[in-house]
PDB file of all heavy atoms in Angstrom:
ATOM      1  N   PHE A 796     123.074  91.476 110.647  1.00 41.00           N
ATOM      2  CA  PHE A 796     122.920  92.407 111.744  1.00 41.00           C
ATOM      3  C   PHE A 796     124.217  92.619 112.537  1.00 41.00           C
ATOM      4  O   PHE A 796     124.352  92.167 113.627  1.00 41.00           O
ATOM      5  CB  PHE A 796     121.839  91.907 112.701  1.00 41.00           C
ATOM      6  CG  PHE A 796     120.455  92.152 112.219  1.00 41.00           C
ATOM      7  CD1 PHE A 796     119.526  91.136 112.244  1.00 41.00           C
ATOM      8  CD2 PHE A 796     120.082  93.385 111.725  1.00 41.00           C
ATOM      9  CE1 PHE A 796     118.244  91.349 111.806  1.00 41.00           C
ATOM     10  CE2 PHE A 796     118.807  93.598 111.291  1.00 41.00           C
ATOM     11  CZ  PHE A 796     117.879  92.573 111.325  1.00 41.00           C
ATOM     12  N   ALA A 799     124.511  94.122 116.734  1.00 71.00           N
ATOM     13  CA  ALA A 799     123.255  94.374 117.438  1.00 71.00           C
ATOM     14  C   ALA A 799     122.736  93.075 118.035  1.00 71.00           C
ATOM     15  O   ALA A 799     122.919  91.994 117.481  1.00 71.00           O
ATOM     16  CB  ALA A 799     122.230  94.961 116.480  1.00 71.00           C
ATOM     17  N   ALA A 800     122.077  93.187 119.176  1.00 86.00           N
ATOM     18  CA  ALA A 800     121.614  92.002 119.899  1.00 86.00           C
ATOM     19  C   ALA A 800     120.172  91.672 119.548  1.00 86.00           C
ATOM     20  O   ALA A 800     119.364  92.558 119.272  1.00 86.00           O
ATOM     21  CB  ALA A 800     121.746  92.234 121.399  1.00 86.00           C
ATOM     22  N   VAL A 801     119.869  90.387 119.571  1.00 89.00           N
ATOM     23  CA  VAL A 801     118.491  89.942 119.355  1.00 89.00           C
ATOM     24  C   VAL A 801     117.601  90.577 120.421  1.00 89.00           C
ATOM     25  O   VAL A 801     117.949  90.609 121.605  1.00 89.00           O
ATOM     26  CB  VAL A 801     118.403  88.406 119.436  1.00 89.00           C
ATOM     27  CG1 VAL A 801     116.947  87.957 119.426  1.00 89.00           C
ATOM     28  CG2 VAL A 801     119.156  87.776 118.279  1.00 89.00           C
ATOM     29  N   GLY A 802     116.463  91.099 119.995  1.00 89.00           N
ATOM     30  CA  GLY A 802     115.545  91.765 120.914  1.00 89.00           C
ATOM     31  C   GLY A 802     115.702  93.265 120.950  1.00 89.00           C
ATOM     32  O   GLY A 802     114.829  93.972 121.471  1.00 89.00           O
ATOM     33  N   ASP A 803     116.811  93.778 120.408  1.00 91.00           N
ATOM     34  CA  ASP A 803     117.001  95.231 120.351  1.00 91.00           C
ATOM     35  C   ASP A 803     115.933  95.853 119.463  1.00 91.00           C
ATOM     36  O   ASP A 803     115.636  95.344 118.385  1.00 91.00           O
ATOM     37  CB  ASP A 803     118.381  95.573 119.783  1.00 91.00           C
ATOM     38  CG  ASP A 803     119.492  95.356 120.795  1.00 91.00           C
ATOM     39  OD1 ASP A 803     119.171  95.039 121.952  1.00 91.00           O
ATOM     40  OD2 ASP A 803     120.672  95.503 120.416  1.00 91.00           O
ATOM     41  N   ILE A 863     111.491  98.526 114.660  1.00 95.00           N
ATOM     42  CA  ILE A 863     112.122  97.336 114.110  1.00 95.00           C
ATOM     43  C   ILE A 863     112.843  96.623 115.247  1.00 95.00           C
ATOM     44  O   ILE A 863     113.661  97.223 115.941  1.00 95.00           O
ATOM     45  CB  ILE A 863     113.093  97.681 112.950  1.00 95.00           C
ATOM     46  CG1 ILE A 863     113.851  96.427 112.499  1.00 95.00           C
ATOM     47  CG2 ILE A 863     114.037  98.799 113.315  1.00 95.00           C
ATOM     48  CD1 ILE A 863     114.627  96.635 111.204  1.00 95.00           C
ATOM     49  N   THR A 864     112.464  95.375 115.463  1.00 95.00           N
ATOM     50  CA  THR A 864     113.049  94.563 116.522  1.00 95.00           C
ATOM     51  C   THR A 864     113.842  93.421 115.901  1.00 95.00           C
ATOM     52  O   THR A 864     113.307  92.674 115.071  1.00 95.00           O
ATOM     53  CB  THR A 864     111.969  93.990 117.449  1.00 95.00           C
ATOM     54  OG1 THR A 864     111.216  95.069 118.025  1.00 95.00           O
ATOM     55  CG2 THR A 864     112.586  93.148 118.569  1.00 95.00           C
ATOM     56  N   LEU A 865     115.088  93.292 116.280  1.00 92.00           N
ATOM     57  CA  LEU A 865     115.934  92.245 115.732  1.00 92.00           C
ATOM     58  C   LEU A 865     115.533  90.881 116.299  1.00 92.00           C
ATOM     59  O   LEU A 865     115.313  90.734 117.496  1.00 92.00           O
ATOM     60  CB  LEU A 865     117.404  92.515 116.057  1.00 92.00           C
ATOM     61  CG  LEU A 865     117.958  93.881 115.637  1.00 92.00           C
ATOM     62  CD1 LEU A 865     119.465  93.901 115.841  1.00 92.00           C
ATOM     63  CD2 LEU A 865     117.610  94.195 114.199  1.00 92.00           C
ATOM     64  N   GLU A 866     115.449  89.889 115.422  1.00 92.00           N
ATOM     65  CA  GLU A 866     115.075  88.535 115.817  1.00 92.00           C
ATOM     66  C   GLU A 866     116.251  87.590 115.618  1.00 92.00           C
ATOM     67  O   GLU A 866     117.300  87.981 115.125  1.00 92.00           O
ATOM     68  CB  GLU A 866     113.863  88.073 114.995  1.00 92.00           C
ATOM     69  CG  GLU A 866     112.649  88.994 115.078  1.00 92.00           C
ATOM     70  CD  GLU A 866     112.006  89.033 116.447  1.00 92.00           C
ATOM     71  OE1 GLU A 866     112.431  88.264 117.337  1.00 92.00           O
ATOM     72  OE2 GLU A 866     111.065  89.832 116.647  1.00 92.00           O
ATOM     73  N   GLU A 867     116.060  86.338 115.996  1.00 90.00           N
ATOM     74  CA  GLU A 867     117.101  85.333 115.850  1.00 90.00           C
ATOM     75  C   GLU A 867     117.502  85.176 114.381  1.00 90.00           C
ATOM     76  O   GLU A 867     116.679  85.383 113.480  1.00 90.00           O
ATOM     77  CB  GLU A 867     116.618  83.983 116.375  1.00 90.00           C
ATOM     78  CG  GLU A 867     116.327  83.955 117.875  1.00 90.00           C
ATOM     79  CD  GLU A 867     117.583  83.932 118.707  1.00 90.00           C
ATOM     80  OE1 GLU A 867     118.675  83.755 118.129  1.00 90.00           O
ATOM     81  OE2 GLU A 867     117.471  84.076 119.942  1.00 90.00           O
ATOM     82  N   ASP A 898     115.337  89.023 109.229  1.00 88.00           N
ATOM     83  CA  ASP A 898     115.324  88.597 110.627  1.00 88.00           C
ATOM     84  C   ASP A 898     114.874  89.719 111.561  1.00 88.00           C
ATOM     85  O   ASP A 898     115.621  90.152 112.449  1.00 88.00           O
ATOM     86  CB  ASP A 898     116.713  88.096 111.039  1.00 88.00           C
ATOM     87  CG  ASP A 898     117.169  86.915 110.199  1.00 88.00           C
ATOM     88  OD1 ASP A 898     116.289  86.188 109.692  1.00 88.00           O
ATOM     89  OD2 ASP A 898     118.392  86.727 110.042  1.00 88.00           O
ATOM     90  N   GLN A 925     120.848 100.954 113.473  1.00 90.00           N
ATOM     91  CA  GLN A 925     120.831  99.783 114.345  1.00 90.00           C
ATOM     92  C   GLN A 925     121.962  98.806 114.031  1.00 90.00           C
ATOM     93  O   GLN A 925     122.536  98.194 114.929  1.00 90.00           O
ATOM     94  CB  GLN A 925     119.474  99.088 114.195  1.00 90.00           C
ATOM     95  CG  GLN A 925     119.117  98.092 115.273  1.00 90.00           C
ATOM     96  CD  GLN A 925     117.681  97.640 115.095  1.00 90.00           C
ATOM     97  OE1 GLN A 925     117.204  97.488 113.973  1.00 90.00           O
ATOM     98  NE2 GLN A 925     116.983  97.413 116.189  1.00 90.00           N
TER      99      GLN A 925
END
Side-chain angles (χ1 to χ4, degrees):
F796 282 132
V801 171
D803 284 355
I863 174 169
T864 301
L865 305 189
E866 304 293 355
E867 295 285 350
D898 300 333
Q925 196 172 36

